[in-house]
Amino acid sequence: MKKVFLFIIAVCAAFSFAVVYAEDNVSGEGVAPGEDNVSAEDAAYASAEQAVYHGKYMDHSGDSRFMPDAYITRAEAAKVLSAFIPEDYDGSAEFLDVPADAWYYEYASRIAAYGALDGYEGYFRPEENLSRAELAFAVDFLGGLEDADVDFPDVEEGHWAEQSISNVAAAGIMSGGENGEFNVYGGVTRAETAAVVNRFTGRTPDLNAIA
């Protein structure tokens, strides 16, 4: 539970709140996050308890639109998910398609090195859409969800994200569509991504922030 709490705090404390109207559609039928005898985890947990505030984890586009129906890319997802990595984590990974001057370089490098969002044979594929399987794995990996046993007809036995998909489904964070399938390889909209994170953290819209 401590690991889950830390994940929640990371979301709340990393940014100021921006998503206040995200669609609550995360089904498979989408429309298109001291002292020598004190461990680092315990210290972070104690500090986090005093640092909670309603923070933001997603940005709007340059023209002030959130674009809820647009699929979130792996580069964008890397930025969102990087908020959940401990600040003192200094791991990094290099990719052939992630130049050092790219806006997402640090995010992609850290999240991949941390193990929550992998690359593919030396490539990160930043412009590709994040898949539902990838999001399920990342949330489970970063949040340390309890193992569960929820089956979907389109999730093959032995699939690399099988356990994570089961875990997020059991936790009520993501679900299948009306046909019962998880839509493993389907994309995730920006609204759905916001809804997934909000569900995990138990967050609700800040009505005072709605214009």
Side-chain angles (χ1 to χ4, degrees):
M1 291 300 297
K2 183 179 294 184
K3 187 174 181 180
V4 172
F5 180 80
L6 288 173
F7 178 87
I8 293 174
I9 296 305
V11 176
C12 296
F15 302 92
S16 62
F17 187 71
V19 181
V20 294
Y21 57 90
E23 297 177 6
D24 193 25
N25 173 18
V26 291
S27 71
E29 299 185 0
V31 291
E35 295 181 359
D36 293 340
N37 62 340
V38 178
S39 70
E41 182 180 8
D42 288 337
Y45 182 83
S47 298
E49 288 185 303
Q50 303 176 35
V52 182
Y53 67 95
H54 206 74
K56 150 183 146 177
Y57 55 84
M58 292 181 73
D59 291 312
H60 56 65
S61 65
D63 57 0
S64 297
R65 294 185 302 158
F66 184 71
M67 298 188 295
D69 295 344
Y71 284 125
I72 192 167
T73 65
R74 284 171 52 84
E76 293 171 329
K79 180 177 180 179
V80 173
L81 297 172
S82 289
F84 313 150
I85 300 176
E87 292 185 3
D88 60 353
Y89 179 72
D90 59 1
S92 63
E94 300 295 327
F95 296 97
L96 297 173
D97 56 349
V98 180
D101 59 351
W103 67 264
Y104 50 82
Y105 172 81
E106 180 180 355
Y107 305 122
S109 177
R110 295 186 77 234
I111 199 68
Y114 198 65
L117 188 61
D118 293 332
Y120 298 87
E121 298 180 349
Y123 294 86
F124 189 73
R125 301 179 183 177
E127 301 305 322
E128 290 190 8
N129 295 331
L130 182 76
S131 74
R132 287 172 53 80
E134 290 172 329
L135 180 58
F137 177 84
V139 169
D140 180 41
F141 182 91
L142 293 167
L145 302 181
E146 294 183 5
D147 283 350
D149 186 14
V150 179
D151 296 323
F152 293 96
D154 62 328
V155 180
E156 301 177 357
E157 183 175 357
H159 185 279
W160 62 269
E162 179 184 14
Q163 188 62 64
S164 293
I165 290 172
S166 178
N167 295 350
V168 296
I173 299 171
M174 298 178 72
S175 63
E178 293 181 359
N179 62 0
E181 296 186 348
F182 188 77
N183 190 16
V184 181
Y185 301 108
V188 187
T189 67
R190 288 172 53 82
E192 290 171 336
T193 302
V196 165
V197 176
N198 286 347
R199 283 184 174 182
F200 186 88
T201 60
R203 293 174 64 171
T204 57
D206 179 0
L207 300 180
N208 293 324
I210 299 177

